[in-house]
Amino acid sequence: IGMHPAYLERSEISPLNFGLDAFRELVTHPKVVAIGEVGFDTRSAWGELEEERLLHRQAEVLRRFAGLAEVVRLPVILQAHGAHDELLRFLDWFRTEGGGIHLRGTVHHFTGSWSVARNYRAHDIVPTLTGLTARSYTCGELIRAIPADELLVESECPHLVYESVST
């Protein structure tokens, strides 16, 4: 369960509108295995919202869901479209100033470099790879560097081959 950052303001069930009460109830269902997809998406169509306000709102929702993930001890599925630096800063903050919470989980649709993936790994966050990874210039280095038992193929892998690799 979660809320993709692109839908935060367009949904009447956004945690920004009413808090996490409904999500707290949903998380008790036995089929819920993770919190997500939550995080940052600076490339979503949010109309006139400036990037600073957009990131602030997304960070607030991520903070709420991360806290919920910690309480129920579930992994997180994180989104970082165009925002790896922001997400890594958030993970650093959450571990140090945000209550010492240590999240574990994945970064959905990862298209970054090995150095970015290594930073996620330091936070127990594993990148999921797509068909775009195979087409990118960093593919060889990234796939060779990730330990074989941590290679995860993205669930949307077949559909994510023809998008831009500019993330």
Side-chain angles (χ1 to χ4, degrees):
I1 61 166
M3 171 114 352
H4 189 285
Y7 298 105
L8 292 178
E9 290 200 11
R10 292 185 277 177
S11 173
E12 65 275 358
I13 62 165
S14 170
L16 292 173
N17 296 337
F18 67 87
L20 286 175
D21 294 338
F23 293 98
R24 283 189 187 101
E25 185 177 329
L26 285 171
V27 79
T28 64
H29 192 283
K31 289 189 176 185
V32 174
V33 296
I35 303 293
E37 174 175 339
V38 297
F40 297 101
D41 189 341
T42 61
R43 299 182 300 169
S44 58
W46 279 47
E48 300 297 317
L49 281 179
E50 70 275 2
E51 187 170 324
E52 184 177 331
R53 181 171 167 234
L54 169 72
L55 292 172
H56 176 75
R57 293 177 71 79
Q58 291 176 353
E60 177 58 25
V61 171
L62 177 54
R63 183 189 63 76
R64 293 177 189 190
F65 277 115
L68 181 59
E70 174 73 7
V71 168
V72 297
R73 299 198 170 282
L74 286 176
V76 291
I77 302 169
L78 298 169
Q79 171 78 336
H81 259 168
H84 290 299
D85 291 342
E86 290 82 357
L87 182 54
L88 287 164
R89 274 195 301 274
F90 176 87
L91 292 170
D92 286 339
W93 174 85
F94 214 67
R95 186 181 283 178
T96 57
E97 300 169 42
I101 293 175
H102 182 88
L103 300 174
R104 60 186 172 82
T106 65
V107 170
H108 162 72
H109 185 197
F110 181 78
T111 56
S113 67
W114 166 239
S115 67
V116 173
R118 188 175 51 237
N119 287 331
Y120 282 122
R121 291 302 306 125
H123 287 282
D124 288 334
I125 305 295
V126 179
T128 63
L129 307 179
T130 71
L132 290 175
T133 309
R135 294 179 48 157
S136 78
Y137 65 91
T138 60
C139 166
E141 176 191 19
L142 180 62
I143 291 176
R144 281 190 300 276
I146 295 176
D149 63 341
E150 294 179 10
L151 278 173
L152 296 176
V153 176
E154 176 59 52
S155 61
E156 297 174 346
C157 185
H159 308 291
L160 296 173
V161 175
Y162 300 107
E163 291 182 12
S164 167
V165 191
S166 63
T167 325

